[in-house]
Amino acid sequence: MKTIGGPAKREHAIVGLSNGQVLKLFVDNSFPIQLYRSSVGVVKCDLNVSKKKIAILDQNKNLIGYDLITQTQTFQEVNVNSFAWNSDLEDTIAFSSGGQISIKTANMSPLTQKSEAIIIGFEGFQLFVNKEDSITVMDISQSSTLVKFVEKKDYAMAYKLACLGVPENDLRYLGIEALQNQDFEIAEKCFVRLKDLPFSELTKKYG
Protein backbone atom coordinates (compact mmCIF):
# COMPACT_ATOMS: atom_id res chain seq x y z
CA MET A 1 0.00 0.00 0.00
CA LYS A 2 1.09 3.57 -0.73
CA THR A 3 -0.74 6.48 0.89
CA ILE A 4 -1.16 9.42 -1.47
CA GLY A 5 -2.93 11.96 0.73
CA GLY A 6 -5.34 14.57 -0.58
CA PRO A 7 -7.88 17.08 0.80
CA ALA A 8 -9.16 16.54 4.34
CA LYS A 9 -11.60 13.61 4.51
CA ARG A 10 -10.88 12.80 0.85
CA GLU A 11 -7.47 11.20 1.25
CA HIS A 12 -6.64 8.21 -0.92
CA ALA A 13 -4.12 5.41 -1.33
CA ILE A 14 -3.10 2.84 -3.93
CA VAL A 15 -2.84 -0.84 -3.11
CA GLY A 16 -1.32 -3.75 -5.01
CA LEU A 17 -3.02 -7.10 -4.50
CA SER A 18 -1.94 -10.72 -4.79
CA ASN A 19 -4.42 -11.19 -7.66
CA GLY A 20 -2.50 -8.61 -9.76
CA GLN A 21 -4.86 -5.67 -9.32
CA VAL A 22 -3.66 -2.19 -8.47
CA LEU A 23 -6.49 -0.11 -7.00
CA LYS A 24 -6.96 3.48 -5.92
CA LEU A 25 -8.96 3.73 -2.68
CA PHE A 26 -10.68 6.83 -1.29
CA VAL A 27 -11.69 7.23 2.35
CA ASP A 28 -14.98 8.89 1.31
CA ASN A 29 -15.91 6.41 -1.43
CA SER A 30 -16.56 2.69 -1.09
CA PHE A 31 -15.90 2.06 -4.79
CA PRO A 32 -12.21 1.59 -5.71
CA ILE A 33 -10.76 2.54 -9.10
CA GLN A 34 -8.64 -0.02 -10.91
CA LEU A 35 -5.41 1.54 -12.20
CA TYR A 36 -3.70 -1.58 -13.52
CA ARG A 37 -4.21 -5.32 -13.82
CA SER A 38 -1.44 -7.91 -13.97
CA SER A 39 -1.54 -11.68 -14.22
CA VAL A 40 1.02 -11.82 -11.38
CA GLY A 41 0.69 -10.72 -7.77
CA VAL A 42 1.90 -7.21 -6.93
CA VAL A 43 4.70 -6.73 -4.38
CA LYS A 44 4.99 -2.93 -4.55
CA CYS A 45 3.36 -0.10 -6.47
CA ASP A 46 3.89 3.65 -6.48
CA LEU A 47 2.90 6.78 -8.40
CA ASN A 48 5.37 9.30 -9.73
CA VAL A 49 5.38 12.89 -8.51
CA SER A 50 2.83 14.07 -11.11
CA LYS A 51 0.62 11.02 -10.40
CA LYS A 52 0.41 10.37 -14.14
CA LYS A 53 2.58 7.25 -14.13
CA ILE A 54 2.72 4.16 -11.96
CA ALA A 55 5.44 1.60 -11.36
CA ILE A 56 4.58 -1.96 -10.34
CA LEU A 57 6.95 -4.60 -8.96
CA ASP A 58 5.41 -8.06 -9.25
CA GLN A 59 6.16 -11.39 -7.60
CA ASN A 60 8.36 -12.42 -10.53
CA LYS A 61 10.61 -9.39 -9.85
CA ASN A 62 9.45 -7.59 -12.99
CA LEU A 63 9.31 -3.81 -12.70
CA ILE A 64 6.73 -2.33 -15.05
CA GLY A 65 6.18 1.34 -15.81
CA TYR A 66 2.69 2.33 -16.92
CA ASP A 67 1.33 5.64 -18.19
CA LEU A 68 -2.11 6.21 -16.63
CA ILE A 69 -3.00 8.90 -19.19
CA THR A 70 -2.24 6.98 -22.38
CA GLN A 71 -2.91 3.56 -20.79
CA THR A 72 0.34 2.20 -22.21
CA GLN A 73 3.37 0.42 -20.78
CA THR A 74 6.43 2.68 -20.82
CA PHE A 75 9.20 0.35 -19.66
CA GLN A 76 9.97 -3.03 -18.12
CA GLU A 77 12.99 -4.23 -16.13
CA VAL A 78 13.64 -7.77 -14.89
CA ASN A 79 15.11 -9.24 -11.70
CA VAL A 80 14.32 -6.08 -9.72
CA ASN A 81 14.41 -6.12 -5.90
CA SER A 82 13.39 -2.56 -5.01
CA PHE A 83 12.61 0.80 -6.60
CA ALA A 84 11.60 4.39 -5.92
CA TRP A 85 10.39 7.27 -8.06
CA ASN A 86 12.25 10.55 -7.77
CA SER A 87 10.19 12.96 -5.68
CA ASP A 88 11.33 15.96 -7.77
CA LEU A 89 11.52 14.62 -11.34
CA GLU A 90 8.46 12.88 -12.71
CA ASP A 91 10.29 10.75 -15.29
CA THR A 92 13.17 9.53 -13.09
CA ILE A 93 13.13 6.21 -11.25
CA ALA A 94 15.79 4.23 -9.38
CA PHE A 95 15.78 0.45 -9.07
CA SER A 96 18.08 -2.29 -7.75
CA SER A 97 18.76 -5.37 -9.82
CA GLY A 98 21.48 -8.02 -10.01
CA GLY A 99 23.83 -6.38 -7.52
CA GLN A 100 23.62 -2.90 -9.01
CA ILE A 101 21.53 0.24 -8.76
CA SER A 102 20.20 1.86 -11.92
CA ILE A 103 18.84 5.36 -12.45
CA LYS A 104 16.49 5.70 -15.42
CA THR A 105 15.32 9.10 -16.71
CA ALA A 106 12.61 9.22 -19.39
CA ASN A 107 13.63 7.02 -22.34
CA MET A 108 17.37 7.37 -21.70
CA SER A 109 19.58 4.36 -21.04
CA PRO A 110 19.89 3.77 -17.28
CA LEU A 111 22.95 4.90 -15.34
CA THR A 112 24.28 2.03 -13.21
CA GLN A 113 26.64 1.47 -10.32
CA LYS A 114 27.44 -1.59 -8.22
CA SER A 115 25.55 -1.86 -4.93
CA GLU A 116 23.63 -4.49 -2.98
CA ALA A 117 21.57 -1.83 -1.18
CA ILE A 118 17.77 -1.77 -1.02
CA ILE A 119 16.24 1.45 -2.32
CA ILE A 120 13.77 3.14 0.01
CA GLY A 121 13.62 6.71 -1.33
CA PHE A 122 14.85 9.03 -4.06
CA GLU A 123 14.93 12.82 -3.78
CA GLY A 124 16.77 15.11 -6.19
CA PHE A 125 20.27 13.70 -6.60
CA GLN A 126 20.14 11.74 -3.33
CA LEU A 127 19.20 8.10 -3.04
CA PHE A 128 18.13 6.73 0.35
CA VAL A 129 19.04 3.08 0.75
CA ASN A 130 19.09 0.33 3.35
CA LYS A 131 22.44 -1.42 3.43
CA GLU A 132 23.40 -3.91 6.12
CA ASP A 133 20.47 -2.77 8.31
CA SER A 134 21.58 0.84 8.15
CA ILE A 135 19.93 3.68 6.22
CA THR A 136 22.45 5.71 4.23
CA VAL A 137 22.37 8.41 1.57
CA MET A 138 24.01 7.95 -1.82
CA ASP A 139 24.78 10.99 -3.98
CA ILE A 140 23.88 10.38 -7.62
CA SER A 141 25.50 12.28 -10.48
CA GLN A 142 23.20 13.09 -13.39
CA SER A 143 25.80 14.92 -15.47
CA SER A 144 25.88 12.29 -18.22
CA THR A 145 22.06 12.27 -18.40
CA LEU A 146 22.06 16.06 -18.72
CA VAL A 147 24.53 15.80 -21.60
CA LYS A 148 22.28 13.25 -23.34
CA PHE A 149 19.29 15.59 -23.11
CA VAL A 150 21.39 18.43 -24.48
CA GLU A 151 22.50 16.24 -27.40
CA LYS A 152 18.81 15.58 -28.12
CA LYS A 153 18.20 19.35 -27.86
CA ASP A 154 15.74 18.75 -25.02
CA TYR A 155 16.97 21.78 -23.12
CA ALA A 156 13.88 22.03 -20.92
CA MET A 157 14.44 18.55 -19.44
CA ALA A 158 18.15 19.21 -19.11
CA TYR A 159 17.36 22.38 -17.17
CA LYS A 160 15.05 20.47 -14.81
CA LEU A 161 17.99 18.20 -13.99
CA ALA A 162 20.29 21.19 -13.59
CA CYS A 163 17.94 22.84 -11.09
CA LEU A 164 18.44 19.92 -8.71
CA GLY A 165 22.10 20.80 -8.38
CA VAL A 166 24.77 20.07 -10.98
CA PRO A 167 28.33 21.44 -11.20
CA GLU A 168 28.59 24.96 -12.60
CA ASN A 169 30.41 23.73 -15.70
CA ASP A 170 27.41 21.50 -16.56
CA LEU A 171 25.02 24.41 -16.15
CA ARG A 172 27.26 26.65 -18.27
CA TYR A 173 27.51 23.95 -20.95
CA LEU A 174 23.70 23.78 -21.06
CA GLY A 175 23.38 27.56 -21.22
CA ILE A 176 25.82 27.92 -24.11
CA GLU A 177 24.28 25.04 -26.08
CA ALA A 178 20.79 26.49 -25.58
CA LEU A 179 22.02 29.93 -26.64
CA GLN A 180 23.69 28.60 -29.78
CA ASN A 181 20.46 26.81 -30.71
CA GLN A 182 18.37 29.91 -30.03
CA ASP A 183 16.55 28.60 -26.98
CA PHE A 184 16.98 31.96 -25.28
CA GLU A 185 14.59 31.24 -22.42
CA ILE A 186 16.56 28.25 -21.12
CA ALA A 187 19.87 29.99 -21.84
CA GLU A 188 18.86 33.02 -19.79
CA LYS A 189 17.70 30.85 -16.89
CA CYS A 190 21.06 29.09 -16.85
CA PHE A 191 23.10 32.30 -16.83
CA VAL A 192 20.88 33.89 -14.19
CA ARG A 193 21.50 30.88 -11.94
CA LEU A 194 25.21 31.24 -12.65
CA LYS A 195 25.00 34.99 -11.90
CA ASP A 196 26.76 35.57 -15.21
CA LEU A 197 25.54 39.09 -16.02
CA PRO A 198 27.21 39.51 -19.47
CA PHE A 199 25.75 36.28 -20.87
CA SER A 200 22.41 36.97 -19.19
CA GLU A 201 22.21 40.37 -20.88
CA LEU A 202 23.20 38.75 -24.19
CA THR A 203 20.30 36.30 -24.05
CA LYS A 204 17.87 39.12 -23.18
CA LYS A 205 19.12 41.10 -26.19
CA TYR A 206 18.46 38.31 -28.67
CA GLY A 207 15.60 36.57 -26.90
Side-chain angles (χ1 to χ4, degrees), residues 61-204:
K61 295 187 175 183
N62 294 312
L63 176 64
I64 298 168
Y66 189 75
D67 191 313
L68 296 173
I69 305 301
T70 62
Q71 300 285 294
T72 56
Q73 182 174 310
T74 55
F75 66 85
Q76 181 172 351
E77 303 290 341
V78 299
N79 195 32
V80 174
N81 300 308
S82 60
F83 77 90
W85 285 107
N86 192 295
S87 60
D88 295 310
L89 289 170
E90 63 174 309
D91 283 330
T92 300
I93 191 169
F95 57 92
S96 60
S97 173
Q100 65 182 20
I101 285 177
S102 301
I103 310 296
K104 180 176 176 61
T105 299
N107 58 353
M108 298 293 183
S109 300
L111 303 176
T112 62
Q113 64 184 73
K114 291 183 178 180
S115 177
E116 298 287 347
I118 298 173
I119 298 170
I120 57 177
F122 191 15
E123 180 178 352
F125 288 162
Q126 291 187 317
L127 200 60
F128 300 87
V129 301
N130 186 337
K131 188 175 182 180
E132 298 178 351
D133 296 325
S134 177
I135 296 176
T136 59
V137 178
M138 296 174 59
D139 290 326
I140 303 296
S141 173
Q142 289 276 35
S143 293
S144 60
T145 303
L146 183 145
V147 170
K148 290 179 181 178
F149 278 116
V150 171
E151 290 174 347
K152 291 182 63 178
K153 301 189 187 302
D154 189 346
Y155 303 119
M157 189 61 191
Y159 183 72
K160 287 182 180 179
L161 282 174
C163 286
L164 297 179
V166 296
E168 285 193 1
N169 60 320
D170 287 346
L171 187 58
R172 184 172 299 280
Y173 163 70
L174 169 59
I176 292 173
E177 288 291 321
L179 179 60
Q180 290 177 338
N181 287 273
Q182 299 182 12
D183 191 331
F184 300 113
E185 180 182 357
I186 295 298
E188 182 180 357
K189 288 180 178 179
C190 291
F191 296 125
V192 167
R193 289 181 70 89
L194 288 166
K195 299 179 181 179
D196 188 324
L197 185 58
F199 266 101
S200 179
E201 291 297 326
L202 180 65
T203 56
K204 288 180 181 179

Side-chain angles (χ1 to χ4, degrees), residues 2-14 24-28 47 51:
K2 172 73 174 186
T3 56
I4 304 301
K9 298 182 180 180
R10 297 185 61 191
E11 296 88 347
H12 62 286
I14 58 172
K24 182 187 287 188
L25 307 178
F26 298 87
V27 297
D28 63 338
L47 292 170
K51 298 180 176 61

